[in-house]
Amino acid sequence: MNTMMRKSVLGIAGLAVAGGLAAGPLNHGTTDTIDTRAAAVAVQADKVDKSKLIPHGVQGNQSRIDLGDEQTDNVKAIIAATKKSGMDERAAVVAIATSLQESKLENLGHLGERNDHDSQGLFQQRPSSGWGTVEQITDPEYSTMAFLKGLKQVDGWQDMPLTGAAQTVQVSAYPDHYAQWERQAADLVAEHWNS
């Protein structure tokens, strides 16, 4: 670096340090503003990229329900299991939308005459179809991991519309119904992924 450029750089750095020392300790109100800005930048860095949550756009009319505490806890459990499985936010959207369709995010036990065969849990998985025992499929972490294991086995699931990916795992009699929950699922992932 030539001498003139070095002096310029050092001079600017000296002004910045001197200005920072004068402004910092003498102006007590500035530190709160700086801390607030730093916190805002940190929060913004943690935000989920919504374009990755719904890469294909939503299909059809969207449904939405209000969630209670148990349902919100189940959203968080699905997200935690998704992270544990090493899968991304899009996988969590697919899982939450599937659970919204299957159980409205409620960990359902056997519903008696209203039950669809022996379907139970967040994903209405069936012990008789090999998803696990009743105890296992009514455990939110286990049932989510089982769903995600199935999703991982779907070639190209990341490039499919949500309803195609969910249907390939679930084999539902109503394959198009998953799509209606995509926006709410994406909103829930955006809200809870980093919480």
Side-chain angles (χ1 to χ4, degrees), residues 43 83 110:
V43 168
K83 289 179 178 182
H110 198 281

Side-chain angles (χ1 to χ4, degrees), residues 135-152:
E135 292 76 23
Q136 289 172 322
I137 62 176
T138 54
D139 172 48
E141 180 181 341
Y142 177 90
S143 63
T144 302
M145 296 294 272
F147 175 82
L148 294 171
K149 180 180 178 185
L151 187 62
K152 282 181 183 179

Side-chain angles (χ1 to χ4, degrees), residues 64-136:
R64 184 171 289 273
I65 59 170
D66 292 329
L67 302 184
D69 292 341
E70 177 190 351
Q71 292 161 305
T72 301
D73 288 345
N74 289 330
V75 166
K76 292 175 181 178
I78 290 170
I79 289 171
T82 303
K83 289 179 178 182
K84 186 175 182 177
S85 74
M87 295 182 81
D88 66 7
E89 295 94 330
R90 177 64 179 163
V93 171
V94 175
I96 290 170
T98 301
S99 182
L100 276 162
Q101 174 58 33
E102 296 291 352
S103 69
K104 304 300 183 271
L105 288 164
E106 294 177 3
N107 195 10
L108 300 174
H110 198 281
L111 300 175
E113 291 180 16
R114 296 180 303 133
N115 218 57
D116 179 21
H117 304 285
D118 56 343
S119 301
Q120 297 185 48
L122 292 173
F123 296 89
Q124 289 294 281
Q125 295 159 329
R126 298 176 57 196
S128 64
S129 294
W131 285 101
T133 66
V134 170
E135 292 76 23
Q136 289 172 322

Side-chain angles (χ1 to χ4, degrees), residues 7-86:
K7 286 181 182 179
S8 296
V9 169
L10 292 174
I12 291 169
L15 285 174
V17 170
L21 291 175
L26 298 176
N27 188 348
H28 298 291
T30 310
T31 57
D32 290 339
T33 304
I34 291 170
D35 290 344
T36 303
R37 280 190 230 147
V41 168
V43 168
Q44 198 149 27
D46 287 342
K47 286 189 177 179
V48 175
D49 181 357
K50 284 197 172 188
S51 68
K52 292 182 181 178
L53 300 180
I54 308 177
H56 310 288
V58 296
Q59 296 175 333
N61 294 330
Q62 295 295 292
S63 297
R64 184 171 289 273
I65 59 170
D66 292 329
L67 302 184
D69 292 341
E70 177 190 351
Q71 292 161 305
T72 301
D73 288 345
N74 289 330
V75 166
K76 292 175 181 178
I78 290 170
I79 289 171
T82 303
K83 289 179 178 182
K84 186 175 182 177
S85 74

